[in-house]
Amino acid sequence: MLCAVLLCASPAFAQDVSLTSRDGAIEIEGTLLSYDGEFYRVDTIYGPLTLDGEGVTCAGPGCPDLDAFIAEATFSGTRFIGDVLLPALIQSFATQNQFSVTREVQDDAHSTFILSDAERVRARFALRSSSTAEGYADLIADAADIAMVLREPNHDELGLAASTSPSPLARNKRARVLALDGLIAMTAPDQPVKSLTLEELSKVFQGEIRSWSDLGGVETEIVALAPPENTGIHEALLSRIITPFGRGSLQAEQSFPDPDDLADAVARDASSIGLGTLSTVGNAVPMRLKGACGFEQEASVTSLRTEDYPLTLPLMLYTPPRRLPLILREFLAFTRSPAADLVIRRTGYVDQAITESAFGELGDRLAHAIANVSAEAPLVELQRLVETLRNRTRLSTTFRFESGVRLDVQSSENIARLAQALETGRFDGRSLVFVGFSDGQGPSGPNKELALRRAALVLDQVREAAGIANFDQIEVAADAFGEVLPMACDDIAWGRSLNRRVEVWIE
Amino acid sequence: MSIFRAGVLAALLAYVPSAVFSDGIPFAMRAPLPQVQEELPTLPVTPAGFDVLSISALPKDEGSLLPIMASQRAISAFGISCKEEMTVDVVAGAMLSVSLSAPCRPEAKVVISHAGLEFENVLSYAGLLEFELPALEPTGTVEAKFSPEQILYDRARVADLADFTRLAIAWEDGAPMAIKASAPDHMPVSIEILGSKGSLHILSYQDDPRQEPGVVRLALEREVDAATCAEGARGSVLKIMPDLPALRYKLKVAAPGCAQIGEMFLLKNALQDLKLAKR
């Protein structure tokens, strides 16, 4: 059927290649869109088609020189990935694969990495640093192969992409987490106020709190600095800091397109407060977020890995639903390797390596739980928790939910990471218990049931993803302790969101 | 009168004049040989095993004198041997102190290589060159190349190099850009510019485990002028960091364009900032 359709391709169509199957039975004419060293992508009257180079011969002026193929890829999107992280990962990938590297810098937003072996150039990776929206726009316009983004595509972008065929954006999740960052408020090192609530932060950037004395400091006017509008980071700050408190826009004395400039300005001026990310905090100091019940959350490697910090910001690569050149696929695989984790940490971001922490590190959390024992969180349940977990260590891999039982993007990545670790035998001979926790809203019985359901769901997803793991060698179970061990205050939405989680404890 | 007086004086001094002739012309008077044999002074004794070169001991064959004549020619205008040598020593701060002497190459160009990076320098009129170079690899090997066949080298092991983070750019073509570093007070960095054309730039920071965390912003900059506004630059970059493999790559920077004449051409993302995390 396909053969018949393809043979009917009109010769009048503007074509520069003619691909013929080895037996001569099929001939496809069209305009060559790309050749990735293995596959041809050709624009035909039926739309773009991808054909295995092994199965066809190419004729026509557009045919590539098969022996001189150079893989080309363009990354476009947020500067929070494009400025530092991706260049460092490309360099490390090249070193590991013994490619020599030439970096051509056009300007601060555009550069190209040329990877060569002893014989010739093998790949050219072009980088365009701008914003998440620009990244998706370039992907839709076929001006980029991979988008560097801080969020999934929004409704408008999906709609725009749907008008092209095939759509470069898919409704199923195609963004994969490259590294973690955290949205933070920052101050100069000599600013005595070190923490504030999320609501206070929101009010500062609404102009409702104007003096440091309203935050427990001295009587000095607050100078608020923020990233510019129409950037992914601005959108993230708006949706996670401003909007939860029912307000519409983010106001600042000054906006800085370059996050480094913003951090430097904050570090110089003790009266300033800035919004940014942990990776770009520079010589300023991140503020802790506090809740009314006394919990304080600090953005750190551990709290971002475990998503115990409420404003974790996953940095993602969005790949279109089409075949990518081999070397690019190899690069994407490299970004999940331990070598890449080291680069991510060295460049000031947080990797997703699975680490373990002892029961004793619960510290304040356990003390808080003991202090808040109640009918809803009875002592007997807390004692069972201690009995179950005291000889185990907690994995940094933690699962949180967007709503109901739908995992958030970082947790989806955690499923893949944990499954990979299980498949490689890292936990053979050990016992893993998936422990569900809930927030404290509502009666404890249903809360505990929901927590157990979530734990079982995560366990099922991990089992499914770890298809080749030997579960005869690994003991797995699901358990739940409801609301007895909160991470954050239940009187605020982000606190309840942190409390609804599935942790993994290992023995 | 004068004959009389001469005779009297001669008698008094028992002086017997005798004529000295040169080309048959009386030239001067000389004293007669002493009548009494004076005792000869004691000559110094040559220590055993010490050969004193005697002209009479030289071979009669003229060809065998060539080496000596050659060695007489290998002397600089300042009378110093033309022998070429280079010494490398390690000094404080993981620096290499390089001393090069080629007395018979006054003002010669020499290409210095270290850790795969090259830069050109010029000897003094006396054929001397001395400089300090932040070490970029632990063997401390330095080469000085006058031509592909004439290369001097020396090395000195740099034991404390692992305490340093260094970023070096050797500009090879075009208009070189300078490394611009903005560091907090507690993170002192130094930048050395080496070479007769200022083509090697090395930023150095000594790691201190007790140091507070911080970030040194790094950028590349140069002033744009009419002569070089259309010129880019090409160079080699080497970055060494404690506990990490060295990072090496080529860097090509586009021309700023002549619309920017008189301005600073600044690239803030061409180099990665130096981040020191909390230990």
Side-chain angles (χ1 to χ4, degrees):
Chain A
M1 173 66 182
L2 175 67
C3 165
V5 170
L6 296 173
L7 282 171
C8 292
S10 164
F13 185 73
Q15 64 264 5
D16 62 358
V17 293
S18 175
L19 301 172
T20 309
S21 64
R22 300 284 177 192
D23 62 4
I26 305 173
E27 186 179 332
I28 300 161
E29 293 177 330
T31 305
L32 185 70
L33 294 174
S34 65
Y35 172 70
D36 67 4
E38 295 175 286
F39 283 76
Y40 293 95
R41 195 160 161 256
V42 185
D43 191 14
T44 70
I45 56 169
Y46 308 104
L49 296 175
T50 301
L51 293 148
D52 188 345
E54 289 284 314
V56 295
T57 55
C58 185
C63 288
D65 180 349
L66 302 186
D67 295 327
F69 168 72
I70 300 171
E72 307 259 358
T74 299
F75 296 77
S76 175
T78 177
R79 59 186 309 162
F80 285 86
I81 298 174
D83 281 358
V84 176
L85 181 58
L86 208 64
L89 286 168
I90 293 171
Q91 291 273 17
S92 181
F93 168 73
T95 303
Q96 191 172 69
N97 290 279
Q98 297 177 322
F99 291 122
S100 61
V101 176
T102 298
R103 183 179 185 183
E104 293 182 349
V105 180
Q106 285 85 51
D107 54 44
D108 271 335
H110 299 84
S111 64
T112 303
F113 287 85
I114 301 164
L115 278 55
S116 311
D117 61 15
E119 292 173 11
R120 63 180 179 83
V121 173
R122 296 288 174 180
R124 294 172 64 91
F125 290 168
L127 258 66
R128 293 180 193 163
S129 285
S130 51
S131 67
T132 295
E134 290 280 335
Y136 281 126
D138 279 348
L139 210 55
I140 294 166
D142 209 16
D145 301 287
I146 292 183
M148 305 177 287
V149 296
L150 298 176
R151 57 167 171 76
E152 295 277 353
N154 61 29
H155 184 264
D156 291 346
E157 287 157 347
L158 285 169
L160 195 60
S163 63
T164 65
S165 179
S167 169
L169 306 184
R171 285 192 186 275
N172 59 331
K173 291 182 175 178
R174 294 199 60 84
R176 45 173 302 260
V177 180
L178 183 65
L180 303 172
D181 207 342
L183 296 172
I184 58 161
M186 61 182 100
T187 63
D190 49 352
Q191 167 54 245
V193 178
K194 301 294 183 191
S195 64
L196 78 179
T197 69
L198 206 53
E199 186 167 12
E200 286 171 336
L201 182 59
S202 179
K203 285 182 175 175
V204 168
F205 282 89
Q206 293 306 302
E208 293 175 24
I209 292 179
R210 293 177 179 276
S211 170
W212 282 104
S213 61
D214 295 332
L215 299 173
V218 296
E219 184 64 51
T220 314
E221 192 176 341
I222 296 174
V223 179
L225 311 176
E229 291 183 20
N230 303 319
T231 59
I233 192 73
H234 187 276
E235 287 175 36
L237 292 164
L238 197 62
S239 66
R240 297 177 70 179
I241 296 175
I242 307 299
T243 309
F245 297 93
R247 297 169 180 90
S249 66
L250 193 159
Q251 297 172 17
E253 308 291 324
Q254 198 178 346
S255 67
F256 289 81
D258 186 332
D260 292 343
D261 289 345
L262 189 152
D264 289 348
V266 171
R268 283 192 299 267
D269 180 5
S271 67
S272 64
I273 183 170
L275 288 176
T277 68
L278 186 64
S279 69
T280 58
V281 72
N283 296 304
V285 177
M287 298 185 82
R288 293 188 298 274
L289 291 175
K290 63 183 181 186
C293 68
F295 273 119
E296 284 196 347
Q297 314 290 335
E298 183 182 23
S300 67
V301 172
T302 306
S303 69
L304 291 177
R305 261 198 206 131
T306 56
E307 230 184 325
D308 291 349
Y309 179 73
L311 302 176
T312 303
L313 181 70
L315 306 176
M316 299 178 281
L317 293 181
Y318 190 97
T319 54
R322 62 175 160 83
R323 192 175 179 83
L324 297 169
L326 177 63
I327 196 168
L328 189 53
R329 298 201 307 274
E330 288 173 346
F331 171 68
L332 293 175
F334 165 79
T335 61
R336 283 179 161 160
S337 69
D341 286 342
L342 185 62
V343 175
I344 289 166
R345 284 197 294 275
R346 281 280 179 170
T347 45
Y349 298 84
V350 177
D351 64 274
Q352 299 164 89
I354 300 173
T355 55
E356 298 178 28
S357 58
F359 180 79
E361 291 178 35
L362 285 177
D364 279 353
R365 285 173 58 198
L366 202 54
H368 188 88
I370 293 166
N372 287 282
V373 162
S374 65
E376 295 295 315
L379 183 61
V380 64
E381 190 67 351
L382 191 58
Q383 286 171 332
R384 191 175 75 82
L385 178 143
V386 172
E387 193 59 34
T388 307
L389 304 181
R390 72 187 310 169
N391 294 322
R392 293 175 179 266
T393 54
R394 181 189 170 191
L395 297 187
S396 56
T397 309
T398 304
F399 302 90
R400 285 194 165 80
F401 304 86
E402 283 181 353
S403 59
V405 292
R406 187 181 176 212
L407 288 170
D408 67 15
V409 66
Q410 184 174 333
S411 300
S412 299
E413 183 74 22
N414 283 343
I415 295 274
R417 286 251 173 180
L418 185 57
Q420 189 183 26
L422 291 168
E423 286 180 338
T424 56
R426 176 173 164 184
F427 298 120
D428 281 0
R430 302 184 75 180
S431 158
L432 275 71
V433 56
F434 289 69
V435 184
F437 294 94
S438 69
D439 61 35
Q441 278 203 324
S444 60
N447 277 346
K448 188 178 169 184
E449 279 174 29
L450 182 59
L452 185 59
R453 198 150 67 85
R454 287 193 184 117
L457 179 87
V458 169
L459 174 55
D460 285 349
Q461 289 192 23
V462 171
R463 270 180 178 278
E464 192 180 328
I468 59 168
N470 183 0
F471 281 97
D472 293 338
Q473 293 285 316
I474 312 161
E475 190 183 315
V476 290
D479 202 342
F481 293 97
E483 59 201 74
V484 299
L485 190 66
M487 298 285 311
C489 303
D490 267 330
D491 57 350
I492 38 181
W494 65 262
R496 291 192 292 277
S497 170
L498 283 190
N499 289 335
R500 296 188 294 268
R501 68 197 186 275
V502 174
E503 298 178 356
V504 185
W505 287 78
I506 191 165
E507 185 177 22
Chain B
M1 162 63 178
S2 61
I3 294 171
F4 172 76
R5 285 191 64 185
V8 171
L9 283 169
L12 287 172
L13 297 171
Y15 184 74
V16 180
S18 64
V20 173
F21 293 86
S22 174
D23 293 335
I25 301 167
F27 182 69
M29 308 293 285
R30 71 175 169 88
L33 289 171
Q35 303 297 311
V36 181
Q37 189 75 33
E38 293 288 338
E39 194 177 338
L40 290 170
T42 306
L43 291 171
V45 178
T46 304
F50 191 87
D51 293 330
V52 178
L53 184 65
S54 164
I55 295 297
S56 61
L58 286 173
K60 302 288 184 207
D61 180 7
E62 193 181 348
S64 63
L65 289 173
L66 284 176
I68 296 171
M69 294 161 70
S71 72
Q72 287 172 339
R73 279 201 304 272
I75 290 175
S76 77
F78 295 95
I80 303 167
S81 164
C82 285
K83 185 181 176 188
E84 293 175 352
E85 59 186 351
M86 182 172 71
T87 57
V88 175
D89 297 302
V90 178
V91 295
M95 299 287 284
L96 299 172
S97 173
V98 180
S99 179
L100 194 158
S101 170
C104 296
R105 295 182 187 270
E107 299 181 325
K109 285 182 182 172
V110 59
V111 175
I112 307 292
S113 304
H114 172 61
L117 301 182
E118 292 188 341
F119 64 103
E120 191 179 279
N121 233 323
V122 178
L123 273 55
S124 69
Y125 187 71
L128 302 174
L129 177 65
E130 289 187 350
F131 60 93
E132 287 192 355
L133 169 72
L136 295 168
E137 51 92 5
T139 69
T141 304
V142 179
E143 278 188 5
K145 185 163 66 179
F146 293 103
S147 72
E149 295 81 32
Q150 293 168 303
I151 302 173
L152 303 173
Y153 89 98
D154 193 19
R155 63 187 177 191
R157 181 142 202 95
V158 190
D160 59 344
L161 187 59
D163 295 340
F164 287 81
T165 291
R166 281 184 173 152
L167 174 79
I169 307 178
W171 296 105
E172 293 151 12
D173 276 332
M177 297 188 76
I179 300 172
K180 182 186 179 192
S182 306
D185 293 341
H186 69 277
M187 291 182 75
V189 295
S190 62
I191 296 176
E192 306 275 340
I193 300 176
L194 294 150
S196 53
K197 296 175 181 170
S199 59
L200 180 64
H201 297 236
I202 304 179
L203 175 137
S204 188
Y205 168 74
Q206 184 165 12
D207 197 39
D208 181 351
R210 297 160 301 177
Q211 192 81 65
E212 283 294 304
V215 174
V216 180
R217 304 275 185 221
L218 298 182
L220 288 175
E221 67 172 4
R222 75 172 166 103
E223 196 171 339
V224 184
D225 58 32
T228 60
C229 60
E231 262 188 87
R234 191 169 63 90
S236 295
V237 180
L238 173 63
K239 186 175 182 184
I240 58 168
M241 295 153 283
D243 310 324
L244 279 182
L247 177 67
R248 192 184 289 277
Y249 60 97
K250 295 278 185 189
L251 181 65
K252 282 169 104 172
V253 179
C258 295
Q260 289 193 48
I261 289 174
E263 296 174 17
M264 290 302 287
F265 179 39
L266 182 70
L267 292 173
K268 294 165 76 175
N269 294 329
L271 302 174
Q272 193 184 313
D273 289 345
L274 189 58
K275 292 186 180 179
L276 182 69
K278 200 165 193 167
R279 294 279 176 113

